Amino acid sequence: MRADDPVPPDDPAAPQDPADDANATAGERRGAALVVEDGGAGAVVRQDQLPDTMFVFPLRTAVPFPHLMMPLLLDSSVARDIVAKAEAHNGHLFLVLQRDPEREPQGAADLHEVGVVTRILRTLKLPDGGMSAMTQGLRRARLVKVVREKPHLVARVREVVEVPATGARAESLVRLLRQQLRHLAEMQEQLDTGFATALLNVDDASQLADFSGGVVRRVADRQRLLDEADVERRLDLALQLAMAETELVELDKKIQHEIREKAEKAQKDYFLREQLKIIRRELGEEKDPRTMELQRLEEAIARANLPEAARQRAKEELTRLQTTPVESGEYGVIRNYLDWLTGLPWSRATVDDTDLGRAARVLADDHYGLDEIKDRILEFLAVRRLRPGHQGSILCLSGPPGVGKTSLGRSIARAMGRKFWRFSLGGLRDEAEIKGHRRTYIGALPGRILQGLKACGTNNPVLLLDEVDKLGSDFRGDPSSALLEVLDPEQNHAFLDHYLDVPFDLSKVMFLATANVLSQIPEPLRDRMEVIEIPGYLLEEKVEIARRHLLPRQLTNHGLQPRHLSVPVTVWRRLVRDYTREAGVRGLDKVVQRLCRKTALEVGRGGKGPGKLSLAEMEQMLGRARFKADERRQQAEPGVVLGLAWTPFGGDVLHVEAVASPGKGALQLTGSLGDVMAESARLALSYLRSRAARYGIDLQRLAELDLHLHFPAGAIKKDGPSAGIAIASAFLGCLLGRCAAMDVAMTGELTVVGEVLPIGGVREKVLAAKNFGLSRVILPKGNEPDVLELKPELVAGLRIDYVASFDEVAPLVFQGLALRPQPRAVADCGPMPRPKRRAGTKRASARPRRR
């Protein structure tokens, strides 16, 4: 006997559990089964004895039953070893279901309590090299104790005593269960005739209940049948499970029938359609879809009037398409390419309307003001009228938001009689958006330029490149560099898109661009465009725009009539001045929308609306004014002056504040100032120190003071050199204790020797000063030509003083300030005297000596 064999039952060394023997009945000891006779609970019929200690064969998903054949697949060496040792020992196995099918059992806790004692009939070799064992179920048994765990489980088992089923109810259960199983066998096609034959030969109620476990689907329900020792209750449970299984089978058949009907109908319709297509083709009434597709593409190529290079490429691709199977992925790629190639407007163009009078009327109807822009458009149309083939330059409309740059491009297209297409470049980072993707990529498409041309259907539309200053660049490419070819008249006549790979003529397209900040446009791209700056609107211009365009459009959008709401000119002026502060009219449009919403609410409630709006009604509908015309400080303070600034949204007026406190001559800067503005502050202070005597500044007292320069609105970043004279004026007023005039604003770059250099953004700054209600503006002398180009109404009511040095600024800012003469450190600043030559020295030759 080997050490890993189980201990025989008769071996005196076999471990016994006295408690188990004490609690067991006489029939349970030594494997004797008790069967009740004649319905009595006390009569017992003794059967064959079975060993009570045997090998355990755990089952993952199968549940054994007594008196049934149980094949075992020996798919592992452990299973084969268990069967071999059990067959060599006594030929019996204890088959039991393990609780977790994913984990190997380690003890009794991992196994169900009730299993079946089986006899190994024989082992078979399978064709695939595996092995199986055929076992015969004998009796139910309960796992009492695991005797040994390694290398294989050996357990002591005890036969389960069954309570027999007697009485009329038991007979009825047997009859109903047999009928239900017979009905189930008739419904299930996979159950062969052997199942019905075996069912007819089962007479015992216990065996019939166990036999029904073969048709139960759930493993847990099978184990419930095995655990039940009371035969009558087992019959009742088996009948319930059989009836539930019958309902599931009926539902399966119903679903299969519905699906089969749908599939058969779809298959029948498909065959009928195919037969109908074949009949029509034989009669010549219908062509093959592939033939029709090829014919369509051939007609499209002939109709597109392609250039020679494009026609040659189209023929090559069509030849490839004819030899490519429809099922191939390349077939769709070639077809899409040919659709794009033939769908582009190679030779379709609209006729330009060169009627200058009509163009002028269209521009005047759509926009108020903007005379310079309108004149430039009319000049372009006049040249096209005299020379139709003239390409002209590419216009870039630059200005703050809300001044009408995008809508002006649409008006230009309408005035010329061309199609219009807008392409937003804001946030664009991929070069392929301009020049397309190559056909090697899945889902490749041409660039947005060619997509716009196909959408317009002509090769000479007006393409608006909106927000050209918002272009980005990253690892995917630089779109601004891709635009160089598009916007260059010398190159765009042969624009090469990566998808088409065929030159396309863009010279007939009129390109317009819009931008807010010109400095953000790359220099090569800006050099290819003619920049036209659009300034902000004056108060009178905003009033006219609101009267002519904004209010009628919003009345229509809100479903109102002019009788519901009309605004007098006086109310318009008050509304523009007190409720908006911008260069454009976008904020004014929002205020008009608010008025229309209030009016629509009143009309919707059954009212008539305000009608002719008064100032009191306007304040009631809009609330308190956001801005005041006299918002500038009325009480002047030393060290406070007004400066002019340029922003992407237009000009603005800034307060520059400077204060002094006892200290050690330190300078503190606040207000989110940039490096250039910080340098301007230090430069202004250095200049005042160098001219202390001229301006009456006590240097000894200045060394004992700390200066603090501040720009309000600290959350907004500020930078630039144009605040130089304003900072110097603030320092001078703080040190002298003089108050600056609060009706004057200034701008100009200051050098360390006191010169005032010209700056940019003159138009926006002058407009900001006028809208702020100021009366005087100080500008550098070098910006006088810029002011002369402004409209007279823009500078009406403003006194503009031009200065070349800070000596001219101080008397204008501080009334009554007398400048003192500045002592010079060097009396004569002329040319330095030539030193005398010592006696005996020779003059150096002017010509270099040869070596």
Side-chain angles (χ1 to χ4, degrees):
M1 181 184 303
R2 293 195 301 269
D4 56 347
D5 287 336
V7 181
D10 298 330
D11 192 344
Q16 302 292 334
D17 191 345
D20 293 339
D21 292 338
N23 296 330
T25 61
E28 288 178 327
R29 294 193 189 98
R30 310 303 297 168
L34 298 179
V35 180
V36 181
E37 296 178 350
D38 300 331
V44 177
V45 177
R46 189 173 299 278
Q47 300 179 358
D48 296 338
Q49 286 187 346
L50 296 176
D52 60 353
T53 304
M54 62 189 69
F55 283 93
V56 178
F57 194 93
L59 302 175
R60 290 187 175 90
T61 57
V63 179
F65 285 97
H67 310 292
L68 296 180
M69 302 296 291
M70 186 70 182
L72 301 177
L73 179 62
L74 308 179
D75 55 353
S76 64
S77 59
V78 176
R80 290 192 292 269
D81 195 17
I82 293 175
V83 172
K85 290 184 177 181
E87 191 174 16
H89 181 250
N90 53 20
H92 290 82
L93 275 178
F94 180 62
L95 303 185
V96 62
L97 179 67
Q98 61 189 55
R99 297 184 183 275
D100 188 358
E102 304 297 333
R103 189 169 62 91
E104 292 294 332
Q106 303 296 329
D110 298 331
L111 302 172
H112 282 274
E113 188 177 357
V114 178
V116 174
V117 176
T118 63
R119 179 183 292 111
I120 302 175
L121 300 181
R122 58 179 175 175
T123 57
L124 302 173
K125 293 183 179 181
L126 302 178
D128 59 355
M131 293 184 64
S132 67
M134 184 62 67
T135 62
Q136 171 70 46
L138 299 178
R139 298 183 184 91
R140 279 178 174 80
R142 190 182 306 277
L143 178 64
V144 177
K145 184 178 181 181
V146 175
V147 178
R148 184 177 299 163
E149 296 180 353
K150 300 294 182 180
H152 308 299
L153 290 177
V154 178
R156 183 183 302 130
V157 299
R158 183 180 299 120
E159 184 179 352
V160 176
V161 178
E162 293 184 347
V163 179
T166 58
R169 188 175 186 278
E171 294 179 0
S172 177
L173 289 174
V174 170
R175 185 172 59 257
L176 292 176
L177 180 59
R178 183 174 281 108
Q179 293 177 359
Q180 194 69 31
L181 292 176
R182 189 181 300 112
H183 177 60
L184 189 61
E186 294 174 355
M187 294 179 60
Q188 288 184 316
E189 299 177 356
Q190 64 270 22
L191 296 179
D192 52 9
T193 57
F195 180 83
T197 303
L199 182 62
L200 293 175
N201 294 290
V202 176
D203 297 329
D204 185 65
S206 175
Q207 294 183 15
L208 181 63
D210 293 340
F211 185 78
S212 65
V215 298
V216 179
R217 300 186 184 185
R218 299 180 67 247
V219 177
D221 293 337
R222 295 182 182 180
Q223 185 64 34
R224 288 170 58 193
L225 281 176
L226 184 65
D227 292 343
E228 186 59 59
D230 192 329
V231 177
E232 184 174 346
R233 288 203 296 265
R234 193 190 311 161
L235 287 171
D236 195 351
L237 178 60
L239 182 59
Q240 296 178 17
L241 296 176
M243 294 176 65
E245 188 67 24
T246 303
E247 294 179 358
L248 290 176
V249 172
E250 291 177 352
L251 182 60
D252 293 346
K253 283 186 168 295
K254 181 180 178 182
I255 295 175
Q256 291 177 1
H257 179 69
E258 293 177 356
I259 295 176
R260 188 180 297 109
E261 285 185 348
K262 293 180 181 179
E264 289 177 354
K265 185 179 183 302
Q267 191 174 13
K268 179 180 178 181
D269 294 344
Y270 172 76
F271 283 124
L272 289 177
R273 290 193 185 97
E274 290 298 322
Q275 292 176 2
L276 184 60
K277 288 180 181 179
I278 295 174
I279 294 173
R280 288 180 177 177
R281 290 172 193 167
E282 293 295 332
L283 295 176
E285 298 178 358
E286 183 179 348
K287 296 182 180 180
D288 181 63
R290 178 185 175 89
T291 305
M292 295 176 60
E293 183 72 14
L294 294 175
Q295 183 179 356
R296 181 187 68 83
L297 291 175
E298 289 179 358
E299 294 175 357
I301 293 173
R303 190 173 53 251
N305 195 13
L306 303 174
E308 184 59 31
R311 185 184 299 107
Q312 187 66 24
R313 176 61 63 84
K315 291 181 178 179
E316 294 175 359
E317 295 296 331
L318 185 60
T319 303
R320 287 183 57 201
L321 188 66
Q322 292 173 350
T323 59
T324 303
V326 180
E327 297 79 10
S328 175
E330 190 69 17
Y331 184 86
V333 174
I334 301 174
R335 185 185 60 186
N336 292 338
Y337 176 79
L338 288 175
D339 287 337
W340 273 104
L341 193 63
T342 57
L344 290 175
W346 296 90
S347 57
R348 295 191 300 271
T350 56
V351 180
D352 289 345
D353 189 353
T354 58
D355 187 354
L356 300 182
R358 178 186 175 277
R361 288 192 301 271
V362 170
L363 295 175
D365 292 342
D366 292 348
H367 293 81
Y368 180 82
L370 305 178
D371 296 335
E372 182 182 354
I373 312 299
K374 296 176 182 178
D375 292 341
R376 182 63 185 86
I377 300 303
L378 294 178
E379 292 172 1
F380 177 81
L381 293 178
V383 175
R384 290 300 296 265
R385 182 175 182 178
L386 298 177
R387 186 181 178 186
H390 180 70
Q391 296 180 3
S393 58
I394 297 169
L395 303 181
C396 177
L397 307 179
S398 173
V403 296
K405 299 184 296 297
T406 304
S407 59
L408 186 61
R410 189 176 291 106
S411 299
I412 292 173
R414 192 162 73 93
M416 299 178 62
R418 293 189 179 189
K419 297 293 185 66
F420 176 79
W421 191 72
R422 173 181 169 272
F423 174 27
S424 178
L425 298 175
L428 191 67
R429 295 179 177 272
D430 192 357
E431 177 188 352
E433 292 289 339
I434 305 295
K435 304 197 67 173
H437 299 80
R438 301 190 184 276
R439 281 196 292 164
T440 54
Y441 296 101
I442 298 177
L445 286 174
R448 299 292 296 275
I449 301 296
L450 295 187
Q451 291 182 28
L453 292 178
K454 184 178 180 181
C456 293
T458 60
N459 60 4
N460 63 339
V462 175
L463 294 188
L464 179 66
L465 306 178
D466 208 4
E467 308 293 349
V468 72
D469 57 328
K470 308 299 190 303
L471 281 172
S473 61
D474 57 7
F475 63 93
R476 288 169 289 188
D478 186 4
S480 61
S481 300
L483 282 177
L484 296 179
E485 180 184 0
V486 176
L487 300 182
D488 192 350
E490 301 297 330
Q491 302 180 39
N492 60 11
H493 66 278
F495 172 70
L496 190 64
D497 187 272
H498 289 162
Y499 181 81
L500 289 185
D501 202 21
V502 175
F504 191 92
D505 186 8
L506 297 180
S507 60
K508 300 178 182 179
V509 179
M510 181 177 182
F511 289 100
L512 297 177
T514 66
N516 297 127
V517 185
L518 289 176
S519 59
Q520 296 181 1
I521 304 176
E523 186 63 30
L525 183 60
R526 183 169 45 181
D527 183 63
R528 284 167 168 77
M529 300 183 294
E530 178 183 351
V531 178
I532 300 178
E533 296 185 0
I534 303 178
Y537 296 108
L538 299 175
L539 186 145
E540 291 77 8
E541 292 177 334
K542 292 183 179 181
V543 170
E544 290 299 324
I545 292 173
R547 288 180 61 249
R548 300 184 184 186
H549 303 284
L550 300 184
L551 182 59
R553 182 174 70 241
Q554 294 303 332
L555 288 177
T556 303
N557 294 341
H558 290 79
L560 299 175
Q561 300 294 331
R563 56 185 172 84
H564 294 143
L565 178 64
S566 63
V567 182
V569 176
T570 55
V571 179
W572 276 123
R573 291 177 179 173
R574 178 76 174 275
L575 189 147
V576 172
R577 185 175 61 249
D578 294 352
Y579 290 89
T580 63
R581 181 66 58 85
E582 59 178 346
V585 293
R586 192 166 293 167
L588 180 60
D589 191 28
K590 295 178 182 178
V591 175
V592 175
Q593 292 179 22
R594 188 176 177 186
L595 287 176
C596 292
R597 289 195 300 268
K598 297 287 186 181
T599 304
L601 179 61
E602 184 178 347
V603 174
R605 291 175 176 174
K608 298 181 180 179
K612 189 175 182 180
L613 192 66
S614 63
L615 291 175
E617 291 174 333
M618 181 195 69
E619 292 182 356
Q620 183 181 0
M621 297 173 72
L622 298 179
R624 298 180 58 184
R626 295 181 57 194
F627 308 98
K628 293 293 185 180
D630 55 346
E631 191 177 2
R632 65 179 185 274
R633 302 181 183 181
Q634 299 294 338
Q635 184 66 33
E637 297 180 7
V640 178
V641 298
L642 297 179
L644 296 175
W646 178 92
T647 68
F649 309 100
D652 198 4
V653 178
L654 298 179
H655 288 86
V656 184
E657 303 173 348
V659 295
S661 59
K664 299 181 180 179
L667 176 62
Q668 184 178 1
L669 306 175
T670 56
S672 298
L673 307 184
D675 296 337
V676 178
M677 190 169 284
E679 291 179 358
S680 299
R682 292 191 291 270
L683 185 147
L685 187 57
S686 298
Y687 169 74
L688 293 179
R689 283 197 182 102
S690 66
R691 300 296 190 272
R694 185 169 181 79
Y695 296 109
I697 300 175
D698 188 355
L699 289 178
Q700 183 176 359
R701 179 173 174 270
L702 178 60
E704 298 174 354
L705 296 176
D706 286 345
L707 294 180
H708 186 170
L709 179 67
H710 177 67
F711 283 75
I716 302 175
K717 294 183 178 181
K718 312 169 189 67
D719 203 0
S722 62
I725 62 174
I727 295 174
S729 299
F731 282 152
L732 185 59
C734 173
L735 296 175
L736 299 181
R738 286 179 171 268
C739 297
M742 301 308 295
D743 63 340
V744 59
M746 65 199 76
T747 178
E749 180 181 356
L750 180 66
T751 67
V752 74
V753 295
E755 294 182 357
V756 180
L757 303 181
I759 44 82
V762 174
R763 181 178 303 179
E764 289 79 6
K765 295 178 180 180
V766 171
L767 182 60
K770 185 176 181 61
N771 291 336
F772 201 74
L774 302 178
S775 59
R776 291 190 298 161
V777 174
I778 300 177
L779 296 177
K781 184 69 174 178
N783 291 116
E784 186 174 1
D786 299 329
V787 178
L788 296 178
E789 294 179 358
L790 300 179
K791 298 179 181 179
E793 58 268 21
L794 186 61
V795 296
L798 282 178
R799 173 188 165 187
I800 300 180
D801 296 314
Y802 303 101
V803 296
S805 65
F806 189 75
D807 290 345
E808 303 175 19
V809 176
L812 296 174
V813 177
F814 305 101
Q815 297 180 1
L817 178 63
L819 300 182
R820 304 174 184 177
Q822 175 70 20
R824 293 181 178 270
V826 181
D828 188 5
C829 293
M832 294 295 292
R834 181 177 299 176
K836 295 182 179 180
R837 180 168 54 89
R838 291 184 181 180
T841 60
K842 295 183 178 179
R843 185 186 301 269
S845 174
R847 298 180 60 183
R849 182 178 301 176
R850 294 185 179 179
R851 302 182 65 179

